[in-house]
């Protein structure tokens, strides 16, 4: 469907290293990485997203987390939370 | 005489026994003396006394002297108990010494025997006598009871009767009868009590036991209620969420309470809704992530085109200070799509509501090469892929966004049709399309423009085409209804047709624009180079040269076909023949206006513009008029 195409485009985009989709419980559904790395990323980022969301909402309950970006030396991890899913993309910003 | 016999008997006895003991002798002698005094027969006494004189001495007899033998011993008979103690001493606390008791009990019990005789008048005695009498009188007791009752009644009656007679008599009789009654009363109750007395001598207790049913334990255990461990943290936002949900539930229930007339409708809607939801759940779950995926794509693009995004936001060309009134254009994003590579950009328009969204119409200007058309909507946030893609059979020539409904796009086609696309709906087809029946143009539609809703609140727009007609299309009951507004006629071009008809050559309208304030006033530009000031009802012709504005742009190999300014950002998008759309940022000089800082062509004080236009018009008019003359 359309969403599939979007995900494919993202994966094919310049610099994108990996794409992971995990469900509400932290179990990866879709991934372009190997299993162990995926599981690691899924677990850690799930927790971090929960914490971030909790932080945002604690400050103002009417607010909600829309996007989370972690920029590190080597690459950038982007997390887009949804009601039931979490979309994670790891990109190497081209500079 | 009997005494005599007794004496003799005694003597006889004492003879043989005399030899045994001496002490009884003196006693005997004493008794003898008494006997002598009493009895008159001295002769026999003497014999006995003489016989007694001849002593028989036992071998162990005590040897005593004469004097000792004559000694008198006094013996006293008292009633004292020889065994009773004589020297009982008691301690006296008063005198703090032991004191002998003056009197000691001297009673000696020789013999005791417990008897079973009971005093007649004591309690026990009376009871026993009653028992005996009761046992004897068992049978006649019952009748006695009846009779006693009768007696009582009689007694009472008699007492009543005798009462008026005399008190004493009554009392006596009463007391007598009362006594009788009392006596009678006494036996029956005790007899009733005593009936169950067991035989004390010949009693055997016999017991028997009933069969005890064997006990059986039966237990039933139900399945344990399913337990589940649950843990959660109560954050402020969780509480908030709960409240919001509650509120929504209440609202939904309120909706359900609305009048029944709408129930049928709602049921249908609900059914549709249900169908949709069931479909959604059945379909791939991945669709639920569409929102996140979209955001992610934009973010990824932002990363990739990071420098461009930074430029867009913050770059201001400093060198503009040195260029007077002239500016430069900084290239930003490039938008392209595979399927539009062969098509030319025929129309561009910014969305009035979302300042980053713009629509691009694709078609072809080449008369010979007419193919399909496309309508793409891009956003500056995602330069790599269009947000919406619509394809059509004929090339698109023009498009326009509705001001109030930014999701409606009116489109004019090369084949003369017009259509309305609704962006809110998920279909790829236009919502409404004109057809040959509904009065489409016979020539390509060069411009469409939305108008304010008419009096019936129907959407309507105008279109101008080379066939010389300006048509007003109204959306009535989901259908496009056209109304010819004006037919452009060229002066001095009436020709004689073959059958004597006067044919009016129609001018070809290419563009038009409406007065911002006055609804029915608009300008039409034609191919011939004329600009008509058109009123919906009549037409005024103003001679004028085709107006067009050109901006200094770097040379390109492709021809630029369209250009549009963004009303908010200092950005210009340019479409070219190859189907590319390029966005450029205006340098500060270009977008700095005396009054506003925004791009040109938009929202300026009409008076100022009118003045400017008048100036321009004057400039252009005079030479023409001169030339015309």
């Amino acid at each position: 469907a359309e969403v599939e195409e979007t995900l494919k485009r993202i994966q094919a985009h310049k610099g994108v290293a990996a794409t992971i989709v995990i469900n509400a419980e932290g179990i990866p559904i879709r991934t372009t990485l190997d299993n162990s790395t995926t599981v690691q990323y899924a677990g850690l980022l799930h927790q971090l997203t929960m914490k971030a969301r909790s932080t945002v909402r604690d400050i103002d309950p009417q607010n909600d987390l829309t996007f989370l970006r972690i920029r590190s030396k080597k690459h950038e991890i982007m997390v887009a939370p949804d009601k039931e899913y979490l979309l994670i993309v790891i990109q190497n910003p081209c500079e | 005489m009997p005494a005599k016999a007794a004496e003799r008997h005694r003597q006889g006895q004492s003879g043989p026994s005399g030899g045994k003991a001496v002490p009884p002798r003196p006693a005997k002698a004493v008794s003898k003396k008494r006997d002598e005094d009493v009895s008159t027969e001295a002769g026999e006494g003497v014999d006995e006394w003489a016989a007694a004189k001849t002593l028989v001495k036992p071998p162990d007899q005590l040897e005593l002297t004469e004097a000792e033998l004559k000694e008198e011993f006094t013996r006293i008979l008292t009633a004292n108990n020889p065994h009773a103690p004589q020297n009982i001493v008691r301690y006296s606390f008063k005198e703090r010494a032991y004191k002998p008791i003056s009197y000691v009990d001297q009673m000696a019990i020789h013999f005791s025997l417990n008897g079973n005789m009971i005093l007649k008048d004591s309690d026990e005695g009376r009871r026993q006598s009653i028992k005996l009498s009761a046992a004897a009188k068992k049978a006649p007791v019952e009748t006695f009871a009846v009779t006693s009752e009768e007696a009582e009644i009689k007694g009472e009656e008699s007492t009543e009767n005798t009462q008026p007679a005399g008190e004493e008599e009554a009392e006596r009789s009463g007391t007598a009868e009362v006594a009788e009654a009392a006596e009678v009363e006494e036996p029956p109750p005790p007899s009733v009590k005593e009936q169950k007395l067991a035989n004390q001598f010949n009693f055997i207790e016999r017991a028997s036991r009933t069969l005890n049913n064997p006990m059986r334990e039966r237990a039933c255990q139900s399945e344990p209620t399913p337990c589940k461990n649950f843990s959660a943290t109560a954050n402020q936002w969780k509480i908030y969420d709960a409240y919001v949900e509650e509120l929504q539930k209440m609202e939904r229930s309120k909706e359900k309470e609305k009048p029944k007339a709408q129930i049928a409708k709602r049921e249908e809607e609900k059914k549709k809704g249900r169908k949709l939801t069931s479909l959604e759940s059945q379909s791939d779950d991945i669709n639920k992530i569409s929102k996140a995926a979209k955001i992610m794509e934009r973010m990824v693009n932002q990363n990739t085109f990071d420098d461009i995004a930074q430029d867009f936001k913050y770059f201001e060309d400093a060198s503009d200070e040195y260029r007077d009134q002239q500016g430069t254009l900084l290239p930003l994003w490039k938008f392209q799509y595979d399927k539009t590579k062969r098509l030319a950009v025929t129309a561009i328009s910014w969305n009035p509501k979302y300042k980053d969204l713009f629509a691009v119409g694709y078609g072809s200007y080449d008369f010979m090469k007419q193919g399909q058309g496309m309508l793409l909507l891009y956003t500056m946030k995602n330069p790599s892929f269009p947000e919406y893609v619509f394809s059509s059979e004929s090339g698109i020539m023009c498009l326009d966004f509705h001001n109030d409904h930014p999701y409606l796009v009116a489109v004019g086609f090369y084949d003369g049709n017009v259509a309305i696309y609704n962006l809110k709906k998920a279909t790829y087809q236009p919502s409404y399309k004109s057809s040959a029946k509904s009065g489409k143009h016979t020539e390509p539609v060069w411009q469409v423009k939305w108008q304010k809703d008419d009096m019936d609140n129907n959407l309507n727009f105008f279109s101008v085409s080379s066939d010389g007609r300006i048509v007003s299309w109204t959306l009535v009951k989901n259908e496009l209804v056209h109304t010819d507004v004006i037919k452009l006629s060229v002066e001095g071009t009436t020709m004689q047709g073959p059958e004597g008809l006067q044919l009016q050559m129609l001018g070809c309208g290419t563009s038009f624009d409406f007065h911002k304030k006055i609804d029915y006033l608009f300008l039409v530009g034609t191919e011939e180079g004329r600009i008509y000031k058109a009123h919906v009802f009549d037409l005024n012709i103003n001679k004028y040269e085709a107006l067009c504005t050109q901006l200094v742009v770097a040379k390109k190999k492709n021809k630029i076909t369209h250009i549009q300014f963004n009303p908010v950002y200092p950005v210009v998008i340019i479409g070219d023949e190859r189907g590319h759309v390029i966005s450029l940022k205006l340098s500060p000089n270009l977008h700095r206006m005396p009054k506003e800082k925004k791009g040109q062509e938009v929202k300026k004080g009409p008076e100022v513009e009118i003045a400017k236009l008048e100036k321009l018009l004057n400039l252009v008019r005079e030479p023409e008029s001169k030339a015309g003359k």
Side-chain angles (χ1 to χ4, degrees), chain B residues 521-533:
Chain B
L521 193 62
F522 58 94
L523 289 170
V524 184
T526 61
E527 268 181 11
E528 290 80 34
R530 288 166 195 245
I531 292 185
Y532 298 88
K533 177 177 152 191

Side-chain angles (χ1 to χ4, degrees), chain B residues 433-498:
Chain B
K433 197 171 177 178
S434 68
S435 59
K437 258 195 305 178
S438 62
K440 73 175 185 81
H441 291 276
T442 49
E443 293 282 316
V445 178
W446 289 104
Q447 192 154 4
V448 288
K449 208 136 178 98
W450 283 102
Q451 284 305 294
K452 285 185 196 164
D453 289 357
D454 65 4
M455 285 172 285
D456 298 330
N457 285 340
N458 291 324
L459 304 165
N460 73 328
F461 64 95
F462 280 71
S463 65
V464 67
S465 157
S466 304
D467 63 357
R469 281 167 48 228
I470 294 174
V471 179
S472 153
W473 301 88
T474 317
L475 200 68
V476 176
K477 291 179 188 174
N478 297 347
E479 273 182 17
L480 279 174
V481 175
H482 87 286
T483 328
D484 276 1
V485 175
I486 295 165
K487 284 198 176 158
L488 300 165
S489 58
V490 183
E491 357 172 292
T493 51
T494 51
M495 282 190 340
Q496 288 276 338

Side-chain angles (χ1 to χ4, degrees), chain A residues 83, chain B residues 241-259 262-263 266 269-270 274 277:
Chain A
K83 245 189 175 176
Chain B
D241 275 348
Y243 272 111
V244 164
E245 215 183 287
E246 191 66 39
L247 204 73
Q248 282 175 356
K249 269 188 195 171
M250 276 170 60
E251 279 171 18
R252 261 178 251 156
S253 62
K254 273 184 194 171
E255 277 182 21
K256 285 176 190 172
E257 285 171 9
K258 276 189 180 171
Q262 293 178 357
I263 281 176
R266 291 197 186 280
E269 284 175 15
K270 275 181 198 172
R274 262 182 244 151
T277 49

Side-chain angles (χ1 to χ4, degrees), chain B residues 53-67:
Chain B
K53 273 264 176 156
T54 52
L55 289 167
V56 179
K57 284 190 184 175
D60 56 349
Q61 191 180 11
L62 201 62
E63 298 285 327
L64 291 168
T65 59
E66 292 274 333

Side-chain angles (χ1 to χ4, degrees), chain B residues 216-222:
Chain B
R216 192 178 286 181
E217 192 164 313
R218 241 181 146 178
C220 194
Q221 196 176 19
S222 63

